[in-house]
Amino acid sequence: MKLSSVRKGPFTLYTIETGRFKLDGGAMFGVIPKPMWEKQIPADDQNRIDMAMRCLLVKSEQTGRLYLIDNGSGDKFNEKMSAIYDFSYPYGNLHDSLAAHGFTADDVTDVIFSHLHFDHCGGTTSYNEAGEPELVFKNANFWVGAKHWATANSPNIRERASFFKENLEPMRLSKRMKFTKEGDEFEPGFGMAFVHGHSEGQQLPVIRTGDFSLVFAADLIPTAAHVPMPWVMGYDMRPADTLSEKEVLLKQWFEEGCYLFLEHDAQNEVISLVQGKRYIEAGDAITLADL
């Protein structure tokens, strides 16, 4: 299984692979012409590109808490949806990855969501023998941006198809929902940045310890090909805002020496940032173990 880990200060970081799926390449790159984006990520005969659902497990040696950032799409899709997205598990699923690092879902104390689109939170629940969705993480708190929780529960017509009741309702009923806002931290050295172009209130977890910084880039920078300024997803609710957020945050993260952990890039796990002629660009592609 393609997994890696690293200890940085009080945090041990683990790659969690939850599966692969495919999305339309045109939708992933918006106004960028196919002859340009296909050089970066080739498409299949249905114009779909390979996408990872790579999550990050963070163990705090100070507090003993075990944080899981996002958890993939889960296993609740019917045959039609499975065919559309072509789900596959070349490196195992969520539970395989946890087990490879010596953990189970019951060990997770906190599930942090970048946002609640199905490919980021579907692993939160699974169907029981009665066909009802139940929580996979029996002992965890569920952390999401307060603004995004409101969006997920009252989405606009364009975004509605990305939020599934079977993922959200069991969390609501659990009484373990926790809501974050600007300036919050999960614990010292572990905070978040908020962005709103892709979906209102998306939170990007950030780990800072000593001279090391790592950003879970989620759907602000889903792949290394999305680092260049004009390369923005057609899925974004407010693409002009995404451009502004990228320009500000990439400059900040480059100056800070941040690495980006890429959730959806099927080939690249972590990248550095470098200064280009005009804007910040993607640097070296590495793994957690290389940090």
Side-chain angles (χ1 to χ4, degrees):
M1 187 180 295
K2 214 171 150 183
L3 297 173
S4 59
S5 62
V6 68
R7 171 76 181 266
K8 290 292 181 180
F11 303 108
T12 304
L13 314 177
Y14 306 88
T15 299
I16 299 295
E17 293 280 1
T18 70
R20 295 286 190 269
F21 71 135
K22 293 182 179 180
L23 289 177
D24 183 83
M28 279 302 297
F29 290 103
V31 300
I32 303 301
K34 183 176 180 178
M36 295 178 66
W37 62 253
E38 196 172 29
K39 292 178 182 178
Q40 304 296 318
I41 307 179
D44 68 8
D45 59 2
Q46 297 183 53
N47 206 50
R48 302 175 303 181
I49 62 174
D50 291 331
M51 304 285 288
M53 290 180 286
R54 182 182 299 110
C55 306
L56 184 64
L57 189 68
V58 180
K59 182 181 180 183
S60 171
E61 307 296 342
Q62 286 184 327
T63 65
R65 303 199 73 81
L66 189 65
Y67 303 89
L68 177 63
I69 305 174
D70 284 354
N71 55 43
S73 62
D75 58 4
K76 302 187 297 297
F77 286 95
N78 59 30
E79 187 174 331
K80 177 182 177 181
M81 292 292 282
S82 295
I84 290 172
Y85 293 108
D86 193 23
F87 294 104
S88 63
Y89 305 91
Y91 307 115
N93 60 25
L94 168 66
H95 298 284
D96 294 333
S97 290
L98 289 170
H101 291 305
F103 301 107
T104 70
D106 289 350
D107 297 322
V108 175
T109 61
D110 301 88
V111 178
I112 299 169
F113 299 106
S114 61
H115 60 303
L116 295 169
H117 290 171
F118 71 84
D119 53 316
H120 297 259
C121 75
T124 306
T125 63
S126 187
Y127 288 132
N128 60 24
E129 292 182 359
E132 300 170 340
E134 63 180 16
L135 291 170
V136 168
F137 302 96
K138 309 298 185 184
N139 304 309
N141 295 315
F142 302 106
W143 296 86
V144 69
K147 289 184 178 179
H148 186 70
W149 181 251
T151 294
N153 285 279
S154 185
N156 62 62
I157 193 169
R158 183 166 178 259
E159 196 173 7
R160 186 180 300 159
S162 294
F163 298 113
F164 295 172
K165 181 179 179 181
E166 57 266 34
N167 295 332
L168 305 185
E169 191 64 15
M171 286 194 286
R172 185 202 314 276
L173 296 174
S174 75
K175 309 298 184 184
R176 288 185 265 135
M177 291 300 303
K178 307 289 183 180
F179 302 109
T180 57
K181 62 184 185 305
E182 294 280 357
D184 284 350
E185 287 186 313
F186 301 108
E187 61 180 76
F190 190 5
M192 76 288 288
F194 282 96
V195 289
H196 310 283
H198 177 64
S199 184
E200 183 72 22
Q202 180 183 198
Q203 64 177 348
L204 309 180
V206 184
I207 290 173
R208 295 182 173 92
T209 176
D211 60 357
F212 171 79
S213 299
L214 179 77
V215 177
F216 187 88
D219 278 356
L220 177 67
I221 311 287
T223 76
H226 288 85
V227 173
M229 281 306 299
W231 294 55
V232 171
M233 288 191 289
Y235 290 114
D236 288 2
M237 294 299 106
R238 301 199 298 268
D241 288 350
T242 297
L243 283 171
S244 299
E245 290 163 351
K246 282 176 61 175
E247 185 171 14
V248 170
L249 288 172
L250 285 172
K251 183 176 184 295
Q252 173 189 321
W253 292 337
F254 165 72
E255 292 175 349
E256 189 178 339
C258 268
Y259 293 94
L260 303 189
F261 186 92
L262 303 177
E263 186 164 13
H264 284 316
D265 195 314
Q267 301 301 321
N268 304 303
E269 180 176 305
V270 176
I271 57 170
S272 62
L273 298 172
V274 297
Q275 178 65 60
K277 291 182 178 179
R278 187 175 179 186
Y279 296 111
I280 304 303
E281 299 176 356
D284 294 332
I286 56 177
T287 69
L288 286 181
D290 300 319
L291 292 173

